[in-house]
C-alpha cells in the first residue's frame, strides 16, 4: 500500500472512536504525532545541547535601548471586553528569533496584581506541536481571563497563575497563533529549542528587570519535548556564556509527551482499564499491534483490530467530559454539562475573540493573521522518540522537575508518565501518597531526587481547565519548592498564598 495511504488509515484507526469534522485541537494534533509512521529525517540521536547552537546567527538582534523602546510600545492599555477593575500590567508583541529567516515569536505577559516587582517569572508553552500558548494557556488554562460564550467579552479567572507569579505566554514555534514565519518553512525540535532560547535572551533585553528574577518554565503535552530541550540548552549555555545567564530554577510539564512508543501501548491499555473496550477487543489489539508498539512496522491486522475495537464519540482530552455539540449552522449548542471546570465549546469562543480586529489591535498583533488554535500546516520534524534521557540529564544537573498528569487523559495517560519516570531510575525520597486540596484528595504524588511525579484527580489533558483549584495549589507548591500537603492548603483568603 502507498505509505500516504497507510498514514491516512492509521489516522482513521486512531480516531475511529471520534467524529472529527473540524480543525484538530491540541490533543488530536498530538495523536497524529504519536501514531504517525517514522519520518524519513527522524532520528533516534538524543538532543545534545552542547552541539545544538550556531553562534553565526546573531543571538541578540537589537540594542538594549531599542528593545526598551519596544517594551513601551508593547504595553496593552486594555483588552476589548475585559472586566472593570483590572489591576495588573499587560504587555504583548513580537520578538525576532531568526534574522535571516524572518521568524518572530509572539508573546503575552500578564504581570502579577500584587508585588509584581518581586515575584518570579514563569514561561508557559503549549504543545501540539503547533498549538497556541495564548489561546490555550492564557485564555483557557492559567491566564487572568476566560473568554465568554459571546466571543467578545472576558471574565476574570479566580485561579489565574499570575496571582502567584508574572506569567509569560509564548506562541512557539514561529507560525503558531500570532507568531510570524514565511510560508513553507520547516520546524523541528532542535530549531524550536534554539529559537525559544533566542526569544528569551532578546525578551530579557526588552524587560531587563526580570534578568535576575527566579525563572520557571511550565507547559503541557508536546511541551514534554519543548521544555526539557530548552532547559538543557539554558543550563549548557549558562556555563558557556555566563553573560547570557538565565536564572532557571525548575520546570513543570503537564501530561507530558515524552515517549512515543510507550505512549501507543498505554493508550490502548488505558481504554481497556477504564472499560471503554472489551477484554476480547483488547486481546485482539495486543496480538496484532505488538510490532507497532515496539517499532515503526505498522500492519493492516493492527489497523483492522483497532477499527473493530474503538468506538464511541468521546473527548480524548478528558474521557468523562461532555463534548462541544454544534447546531446545524455550526454554532456551539448551549451546554449545562460544565462540571469539568470549563465550557466544552471554549475553543470556539477563543477563536472568535482572537480574530476580532480590535483584539488584534489591542494585542499589537498582525491584522492579516488568521488566528487558529493549532496550525496544521506547520511542517514539523521530530528529533527524538523519547525525551526521557534529556529529562534525566537536567534532573541530574540539579534542576527541579515536576511531571503532573490529569488522570482522565487518554492521549498521554498517567501510566506512560509513571513508566517513563521509573525508567530514569532516580532515588525515591517519598513513596506514593495522596495529596490534599480543600479537604479533598487532590491527587497522588511520589517524590524522587529533584523530581516530583504527581496526578491531579478528575482532570484531563488540560489540568488547569478541568481542576483549576487543584492546579493552582500544585503550582503554588511547585514555585515555592514546598511539598504537596497532607492537610488542606488553600485558604479562602488568597493573600495568604504569597511567596
Amino acid at each position: 500500500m502507498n505509505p500516504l495511504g497507510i498514514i491516512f488509515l492509521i489516522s482513521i484507526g486512531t480516531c475511529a472512536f471520534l467524529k472529527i469534522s473540524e480543525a484538530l485541537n491540541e490533543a488530536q494534533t498530538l495523536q497524529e504525532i504519536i501514531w504517525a509512521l517514522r519520518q524519513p529525517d527522524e532520528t533516534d540521536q538524543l538532543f545534545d545541547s552542547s552541539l545544538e547552537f550556531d553562534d553565526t546567527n546573531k543571538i541578540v538582534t537589537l540594542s538594549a535601548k531599542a528593545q526598551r523602546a519596544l517594551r513601551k510600545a508593547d504595553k496593552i492599555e486594555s483588552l476589548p471586553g475585559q472586566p472593570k477593575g483590572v489591576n495588573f500590567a499587560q504587555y504583548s508583541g513580537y520578538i525576532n528569533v531568526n534574522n535571516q529567516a524572518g521568524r518572530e515569536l509572539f508573546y503575552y505577559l500578564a504581570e502579577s496584581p500584587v508585588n509584581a516587582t518581586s515575584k518570579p517569572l514563569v514561561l508557559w508553552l503549549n504543545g501540539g506541536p503547533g498549538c497556541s500558548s495564548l489561546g490555550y494557556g492564557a485564555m483557557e488554562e492559567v491566564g487572568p481571563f476566560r473568554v465568554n460564550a459571546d466571543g467578545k467579552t472576558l471574565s476574570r479567572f479566580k485561579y489565574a497563575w499570575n496571582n502567584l507569579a508574572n506569567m509569560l505566554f509564548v506562541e512557539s514555534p514561529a507560525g503558531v497563533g500570532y507568531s510570524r514565519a514565511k510560508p513553507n518553512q520547516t520546524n523541528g525540535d532542535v530549531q524550536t529549542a534554539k529559537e525559544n532560547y533566542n526569544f528569551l535572551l532578546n525578551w530579557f533585553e526588552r524587560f531587563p528587570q526580570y534578568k535576575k528574577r527566579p525563572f520557571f518554565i511550565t507547559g503541557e503535552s508536546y511541551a514534554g519535548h519543548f521544555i526539557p530541550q530548552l532547559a538543557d540548552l539554558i543550563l549548557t549555555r549558562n556555563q558557556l556564556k555566563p553573560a547570557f545567564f538565565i536564572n532557571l530554577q525548575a520546570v513543570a510539564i503537564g501530561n507530558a509527551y515524552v515517549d512515543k512508543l510507550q505512549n501507543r501501548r498505554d493508550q490502548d491499555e488505558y481504554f481497556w482499564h477504564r472499560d471503554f473496550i472489551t477484554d476480547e477487543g483488547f486481546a485482539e489489539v495486543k496480538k496484532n499491534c505488538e510490532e507497532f508498539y515496539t517499532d515503526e512496522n505498522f500492519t493492516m491486522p493492527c489497523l483492522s483490530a483497532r477499527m473493530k475495537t474503538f468506538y464511541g464519540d468521546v473527548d480524548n482530552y478528558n474521557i468523562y467530559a461532555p463534548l462541544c455539540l454544534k447546531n446545524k449552522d455550526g454554532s456551539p449548542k448551549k451546554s449545562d454539562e460544565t462540571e469539568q471546570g470549563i465550557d466544552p465549546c471554549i475553543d470556539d469562543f477563543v477563536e472568535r475573540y482572537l480574530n476580532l480586529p480590535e483584539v488584534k489591535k489591542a494585542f499589537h498583533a498582525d491584522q492579516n493573521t488568521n488566528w487558529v488554535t493549532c496550525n496544521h500546516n506547520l511542517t514539523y520534524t521530530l528529533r527524538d522518540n523519547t525525551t526521557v534521557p534529556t529529562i534525566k540529564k537536567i534532573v541530574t544537573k540539579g534542576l527541579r522537575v515536576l511531571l503532573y498528569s490529569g488522570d482522565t487523559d487518554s492521549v498521554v495517560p498517567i501510566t506512560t508518565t509513571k513508566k517513563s519516570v521509573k525508567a530514569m531510575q532516580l532515588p525515591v525520597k517519598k513513596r506514593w501518597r495522596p495529596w490534599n486540596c480543600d479537604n479533598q484528595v487532590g491527587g497522588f504524588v511520589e517524590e524522587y531526587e529533584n523530581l516530583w511525579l504527581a496526578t491531579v484527580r478528575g482532570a484531563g489533558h488540560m489540568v488547569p481547565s478541568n481542576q483549576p483549584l487543584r492546579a493552582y495549589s500544585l503550582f503554588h507548591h511547585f514555585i515555592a519548592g514546598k511539598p504537596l500537603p497532607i492537610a488542606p492548603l488553600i485558604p479562602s483568603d488568597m493573600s495568604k498564598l504569597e511567596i
Side-chain angles (χ1 to χ4, degrees):
M1 177 180 283
N2 183 297
L4 290 177
I6 293 176
I7 293 173
F8 175 71
L9 288 172
I10 293 172
S11 298
I12 294 175
T14 304
C15 299
F17 51 94
L18 296 169
K19 297 176 181 176
I20 300 172
S21 57
E22 301 179 350
L24 303 183
N25 61 25
E26 186 180 55
Q28 293 156 357
T29 303
L30 184 57
Q31 282 282 65
E32 288 190 337
I33 293 289
I34 294 169
W35 291 94
L37 294 177
R38 189 180 188 86
Q39 300 174 24
D41 49 1
E42 191 173 329
T43 174
D44 287 326
Q45 181 182 353
L46 296 176
F47 182 86
D48 186 345
S49 57
S50 64
L51 302 176
E52 303 298 1
F53 210 91
D54 180 5
D55 280 326
T56 59
N57 181 39
K58 191 175 180 181
I59 297 173
V60 178
T61 57
L62 293 173
S63 69
K65 184 178 179 181
Q67 287 286 16
R68 289 166 201 180
L70 287 172
R71 179 183 73 207
K72 186 176 180 180
D74 286 353
K75 181 77 177 288
I76 296 173
E77 296 303 322
S78 177
L79 290 176
Q82 78 176 30
K84 293 181 180 180
V86 171
N87 57 345
F88 56 90
Q90 304 174 79
Y91 297 83
S92 62
Y94 291 93
I95 296 284
N96 190 320
V97 295
N98 189 319
N99 271 329
Q100 296 169 344
R103 293 165 66 83
E104 297 176 283
L105 298 187
F106 181 85
Y107 80 90
Y108 168 58
L109 172 68
E111 292 191 321
S112 183
V114 181
N115 297 331
T117 56
S118 61
K119 279 191 166 69
L121 177 68
V122 176
L123 169 65
W124 175 277
L125 296 171
N126 272 90
C131 297
S132 167
S133 299
L134 176 64
Y136 281 118
M139 294 294 180
E140 297 188 23
E141 299 188 76
V142 302
F145 302 115
R146 288 280 188 269
V147 181
N148 297 325
D150 61 7
K152 298 178 181 179
T153 59
L154 303 172
S155 296
R156 193 77 176 260
F157 179 46
K158 181 179 180 181
Y159 299 112
W161 287 11
N162 74 321
N163 289 320
L164 300 173
N166 300 291
M167 294 298 301
L168 175 63
F169 303 89
V170 177
E171 297 197 293
S172 173
V176 173
Y178 289 142
S179 289
R180 295 189 286 218
K182 294 177 182 178
N184 304 316
Q185 289 185 339
T186 58
N187 300 271
D189 284 357
V190 173
Q191 182 179 11
T192 300
K194 289 180 182 180
E195 292 185 347
N196 284 340
Y197 179 76
N198 283 357
F199 169 89
L200 289 172
L201 294 186
N202 283 279
W203 190 89
F204 281 123
E205 290 301 315
R206 193 170 297 186
F207 292 84
Q209 66 269 35
Y210 284 104
K211 279 188 175 182
K212 296 182 180 180
R213 212 80 69 84
F215 177 59
F216 299 82
I217 308 176
T218 59
E220 71 189 15
S221 194
Y222 195 86
H225 279 226
F226 295 157
I227 293 176
Q229 291 163 346
L230 175 58
D232 187 22
L233 187 54
I234 289 172
L235 295 176
T236 298
R237 299 302 290 183
N238 279 350
Q239 290 183 318
L240 298 176
K241 296 280 186 179
F244 294 148
F245 184 84
I246 294 175
N247 190 18
L248 181 61
Q249 301 292 303
V251 302
I253 317 169
N255 292 76
Y257 171 65
V258 298
D259 192 317
K260 180 178 182 177
L261 298 180
Q262 186 63 54
N263 216 116
R264 289 176 176 172
R265 182 189 300 275
D266 289 341
Q267 279 189 2
D268 292 343
E269 289 186 358
Y270 183 87
F271 277 110
W272 175 56
H273 284 302
R274 297 297 174 118
D275 294 316
F276 275 60
I277 59 177
T278 65
D279 293 351
E280 294 78 12
F282 179 59
E284 192 70 14
V285 168
K286 279 189 68 177
K287 172 185 171 184
N288 289 289
C289 295
E290 186 60 34
E291 268 190 276
F292 205 44
Y293 290 154
T294 53
D295 56 37
E296 302 293 342
N297 293 322
F298 178 75
T299 64
M300 293 308 294
C302 175
L303 173 65
S304 177
R306 291 181 60 78
M307 292 286 285
K308 292 176 184 176
T309 300
F310 295 109
Y311 55 89
D313 198 3
V314 299
D315 181 357
N316 267 11
Y317 262 142
N318 187 344
I319 61 173
Y320 299 122
L323 293 170
C324 176
L325 303 177
K326 300 296 181 72
N327 295 307
K328 290 183 179 180
D329 63 0
S331 62
K333 284 185 177 180
K334 182 174 175 57
S335 172
D336 294 325
E337 292 191 84
T338 56
E339 72 279 359
Q340 293 294 329
I342 199 166
D343 193 299
C345 295
I346 194 168
D347 282 8
D348 297 73
F349 312 155
V350 170
E351 188 161 334
R352 268 186 283 157
Y353 182 79
L354 292 178
N355 278 303
L356 293 174
E358 61 269 31
V359 171
K360 292 179 183 179
K361 183 178 179 181
F363 272 121
H364 316 121
D366 188 338
Q367 285 287 345
N368 295 319
T369 300
N370 177 34
W371 189 94
V372 292
T373 53
C374 298
N375 181 357
H376 301 291
N377 296 318
L378 199 72
T379 302
Y380 202 88
T381 303
L382 299 180
R383 175 59 181 241
D384 312 318
N385 273 340
T386 177
T387 55
V388 173
T390 305
I391 296 173
K392 183 175 182 179
K393 181 180 177 182
I394 62 177
V395 166
T396 55
K397 284 184 175 181
L399 189 69
R400 281 196 300 118
V401 173
L402 165 63
L403 298 177
Y404 66 94
S405 290
D407 59 11
T408 64
D409 175 28
S410 73
V411 178
V412 184
I414 176 57
T415 48
T416 300
T417 308
K418 288 171 71 176
K419 290 172 185 176
S420 297
V421 170
K422 294 293 184 188
M424 297 181 207
Q425 298 181 323
L426 301 172
V428 178
K429 294 178 68 177
K430 293 184 180 179
R431 293 288 179 186
W432 189 262
R433 64 170 177 85
W435 63 273
N436 286 273
C437 173
D438 198 29
N439 294 313
Q440 301 283 344
V441 173
F444 296 84
V445 62
E446 189 159 68
E447 296 177 33
Y448 298 81
E449 191 69 43
N450 289 329
L451 185 144
W452 290 356
L453 168 63
T455 71
V456 180
R457 187 170 64 90
H461 194 75
M462 298 167 65
V463 170
S465 294
N466 305 137
Q467 292 291 341
L469 175 60
R470 292 172 188 172
Y472 188 83
S473 174
L474 185 68
F475 177 64
H476 164 68
H477 287 85
F478 162 68
I479 60 174
K482 298 177 180 178
L484 288 166
I486 296 175
L489 164 75
I490 300 293
S492 57
D493 182 359
M494 290 289 194
S495 66
K496 294 179 180 179
L497 285 182
E498 287 296 311
I499 61 170

